[in-house]
């Protein structure tokens, strides 16, 4: 058996520090690219109704069989009010990352967050 | 340790690594840390143990068998590339870490966990064909220091127990 110490040693701390520093360095290197704009797309019956920037606060109501009130606030979007029977879209809460979405099946409504990179869509 | 004992131990460890992998799938760490690819890396306990008790070639064999059989069980081919890339890099880093003689099993484990994150992200970037996935790496590395230390503690416990066994049971190695 190759001998390896079973109790922590000084160099272990060096390894942990090295990993954390590497993480910090990569994070700093990638920082400028994190500003990808994210857009809110609102689809109904498979058609794109609106495309709005996520960083501009606004509120709008989408009609149809029922009504959904879509609120964009503080870089997040949610369905704040809906007249549909289930209310799943309201309970979905707020989303802020590209690739995420909120669906209201009764009103055939879909809210999608799209970004330039599309990383999140693939990772999921 | 004679060849038959080594082969038997390799088989048992492969089964154990697969079982730990399934256990991990049932209790995903992503439930608490919502980051793709975050996991405890429980089967790394097996890799560490194999590295120390059987040597690098056996640890590599276990890793390969676990990756292939694991992707058969999960039915996902892409996960095979992720775990192969991550696992190979982790094994290489840990083999070097053990050889350095300066690290304890904790440091070796953290090294392996970090290398696994790098390999996984590299494979993901290759599969997706985009380097923007790199943005996950810093957080994955931070998490890997914690999971690596935890796995290191578990491996230290297992290796300590193995060393305490009578030589007639462990085949005179340990």
């Amino acid at each position: 058996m190759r001998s390896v110490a079973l109790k922590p040693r000084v160099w272990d701390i060096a390894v942990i520090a090295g990993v954390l520093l590497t993480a910090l360095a990569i994070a700093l290197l990638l920082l400028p690219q994190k500003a990808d704009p994210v857009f809110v797309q609102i689809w109904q019956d498979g058609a794109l109704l609106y495309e709005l920037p996520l960083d501009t606060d606004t509120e709008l109501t989408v009609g149809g069989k029922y009504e959904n009130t879509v609120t964009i606030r503080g870089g997040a979007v949610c369905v704040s009010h809906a007249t549909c029977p289930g209310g799943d879209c309201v309970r979905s809460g707020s989303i802020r990352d590209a690739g995420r979405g909120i669906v209201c099946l009764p009103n055939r409504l879909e809210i999608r967050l799209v970004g330039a990179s599309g990383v999140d869509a693939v990772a999921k | 340790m004679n060849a038959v004992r080594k082969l038997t131990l390799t088989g048992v460890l492969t089964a154990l690594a697969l079982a730990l992998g399934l256990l991990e799938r049932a209790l995903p760490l992503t439930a608490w840390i919502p980051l793709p690819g975050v996991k405890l890396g429980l089967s790394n306990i097996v890799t560490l143990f194999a590295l120390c008790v059987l040597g690098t070639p056996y640890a590599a064999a276990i890793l390969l068998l676990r990756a292939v059989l694991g992707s058969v069980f999960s039915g996902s081919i892409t996960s095979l590339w992720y775990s192969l890339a991550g696992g190979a890099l982790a094994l290489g880093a840990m083999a070097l870490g053990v050889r350095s003689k300066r690290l304890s099993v904790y440091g070796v484990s953290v090294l392996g966990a970090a290398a696994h994150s790098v390999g996984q992200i590299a494979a993901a970037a290759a599969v997706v064909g985009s380097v923007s996935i790199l943005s996950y790496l810093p957080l994955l590395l931070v998490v890997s220091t914690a999971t690596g230390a935890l796995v290191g503690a578990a491996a230290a416990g297992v290796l300590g127990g193995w060393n305490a066994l009578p030589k007639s049971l462990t085949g005179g190695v340990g």
Side-chain angles (χ1 to χ4, degrees), chain A:
Chain A
M1 172 173 168
R2 234 179 257 285
S3 64
V4 59
L6 298 184
K7 294 227 165 67
R9 299 175 71 179
V10 182
W11 279 92
D12 295 339
I13 298 166
V15 167
I16 292 174
V19 172
L20 292 178
L21 280 177
T22 310
L24 188 67
I26 297 170
L28 288 177
L29 276 175
L30 291 175
L31 211 54
Q33 297 172 18
K34 287 290 277 184
D36 282 346
V38 177
F39 290 92
V40 182
Q41 288 184 342
I42 301 175
W43 296 72
Q44 193 172 34
D45 274 323
L48 180 61
L49 300 184
Y50 304 96
E51 190 171 64
L52 308 159
L54 187 61
D55 53 11
T56 310
D57 290 1
T58 182
E59 189 170 278
L60 58 91
T61 301
V62 183
K65 201 171 171 189
Y66 305 97
E67 282 194 342
N68 304 88
T69 306
V70 181
T71 304
I72 303 176
R73 190 186 300 145
V77 61
C78 67
V79 177
S80 51
H81 182 77
T83 58
C84 60
D88 285 345
C89 49
V90 176
R91 250 176 314 200
S92 300
S94 291
I95 54 171
R96 52 176 68 242
D97 297 318
R100 304 287 300 273
I102 300 175
V103 174
C104 179
L105 281 179
N107 206 19
R108 297 171 150 272
L109 185 85
E110 189 188 355
I111 300 167
R112 272 185 229 165
L113 288 186
V114 293
S117 64
V119 177
D120 302 75
V122 173
K124 186 58 210 167

Side-chain angles (χ1 to χ4, degrees), chain B residues 38-136:
Chain B
V38 165
K39 54 180 179 175
L40 273 173
L42 289 177
S43 39
N44 213 31
I45 301 171
V46 172
T47 309
L48 261 168
F49 180 84
L51 202 57
C52 294
V53 172
L54 293 169
T56 310
Y58 285 90
I62 292 169
L63 188 82
L64 187 67
L65 286 168
R66 164 173 59 93
V68 171
L69 290 174
S71 86
V72 168
F73 292 158
S74 72
S76 164
I77 278 287
T78 40
S79 76
L80 172 66
W81 301 126
Y82 295 148
S83 58
L84 268 185
L89 220 58
L91 181 65
M94 291 196 298
L96 288 176
V98 169
R99 208 160 290 217
S100 78
K101 306 257 183 225
R102 291 180 197 280
L103 299 176
S104 77
V105 69
Y106 290 88
V108 173
S109 175
V110 169
L111 209 55
H116 195 282
S117 301
V118 172
Q120 216 176 345
I121 286 288
V127 167
V128 176
S130 154
V131 289
S132 47
I133 207 153
L134 268 176
S135 57
Y136 285 126

